[in-house]
Amino acid sequence: MSANPFGLVLISSPEEYHQRVAADAEHQLVNLLDLIPDLVLDIRYATSRNLLGEAVYPSAKAYLRRPVAEALQRVQQALARQGLGLCVYDAYRPYSVTVRFYEHIRDENFAAPPWRGSRHNRGCSVDVGLVEQATGRHLPLPTDFDELKPASHATFSELPNHVILNRSTLLAAMKRQGFVNYPKEWWHFDFHRWADFDLLDLSFEALDMR
């Protein structure tokens, strides 16, 4: 473990991470497409279509801790019975990226501060939308991902009925599998056991190392 200027304990060594995984498989960060092949990925932070206007991930990948990934798999299976599926915008996020976001946004309502870290850094948060499984078409939801405005709040009501229905479908499906919505962002969900996992500052390249 390493300490940072704010006194947070971070795992930034791939060796230490792999030791944790060897001791307890729940700590593994699972590549979501390996577990849920029919998942749609729209990883905005691997592109310039994000709040920073530049790519902060080297590749369009999404990882979550094993029990979190398995819960998301159950969400996908339940939605499939309605002809729907998940689109993932973001999942595990290295701590260093969280620091960059906060330095750009400077608003704790929409970016975790460096002195606390993000549940994304624990591999326990995921940002998702809905798609039609047959076509891959994105279902209308209140705003675009990371569009920071009143309509992004999960209880915002000045919306067409079909948009409210889509949002309700997503919120209910995630809640049933142990995900808790962050009420200021309809797309953001924290797994209920997030406190069981350490903050990480591991690159995607480090996670792919074997």
Side-chain angles (χ1 to χ4, degrees), residues 24-197:
D24 184 348
E26 283 199 337
H27 287 265
Q28 180 186 8
L29 282 167
V30 175
N31 186 319
L32 291 182
L33 284 185
D34 290 342
L35 185 66
I36 317 171
D38 59 345
L39 202 63
V40 172
L41 296 188
D42 184 7
I43 307 300
R44 301 288 180 86
Y45 301 139
T47 75
S48 60
R49 292 180 58 212
N50 61 60
L51 295 171
L52 293 180
E54 60 184 40
V56 293
Y57 294 163
S59 54
K61 295 181 179 181
Y63 305 82
L64 289 172
R65 300 282 193 171
R66 179 161 293 281
V68 190
E70 290 172 348
L72 199 72
Q73 182 183 42
R74 293 191 293 272
V75 175
Q76 181 80 343
Q77 291 167 345
L79 288 171
R81 293 192 283 273
Q82 303 175 61
L84 304 176
L86 292 168
C87 171
V88 172
Y89 299 110
D90 193 28
Y92 163 68
R93 181 185 304 161
Y95 172 81
S96 56
V97 175
T98 288
V99 173
R100 287 181 65 184
F101 283 171
Y102 185 79
E103 289 174 347
H104 179 77
I105 298 171
R106 299 285 179 180
D107 183 346
E108 287 189 46
N109 289 312
F110 296 107
W115 52 87
R116 188 173 68 235
S118 168
R119 294 169 191 179
H120 278 289
N121 306 149
R122 299 175 189 269
C124 293
S125 294
V126 63
D127 299 327
V128 290
L130 289 175
V131 297
E132 289 182 345
Q133 275 212 323
T135 64
R137 182 181 71 88
H138 289 251
L139 266 63
L141 284 155
T143 67
D144 195 7
F145 167 63
D146 259 1
E147 194 172 352
L148 309 181
K149 55 202 269 188
S152 69
H153 292 205
T155 56
F156 187 81
S157 60
E158 296 174 26
L159 298 164
N161 288 339
H162 70 285
V163 173
I164 292 176
L165 176 61
N166 292 340
R167 183 182 65 191
S168 297
T169 298
L170 177 63
L171 292 172
M174 295 293 284
K175 182 178 181 179
R176 280 193 289 269
Q177 299 302 332
F179 289 94
V180 180
N181 173 249
Y182 174 57
K184 293 183 179 178
E185 298 174 349
W186 60 262
W187 58 81
H188 179 105
F189 296 86
D190 300 316
F191 191 59
H192 67 105
R193 288 183 50 210
W194 64 267
D196 294 346
F197 300 92

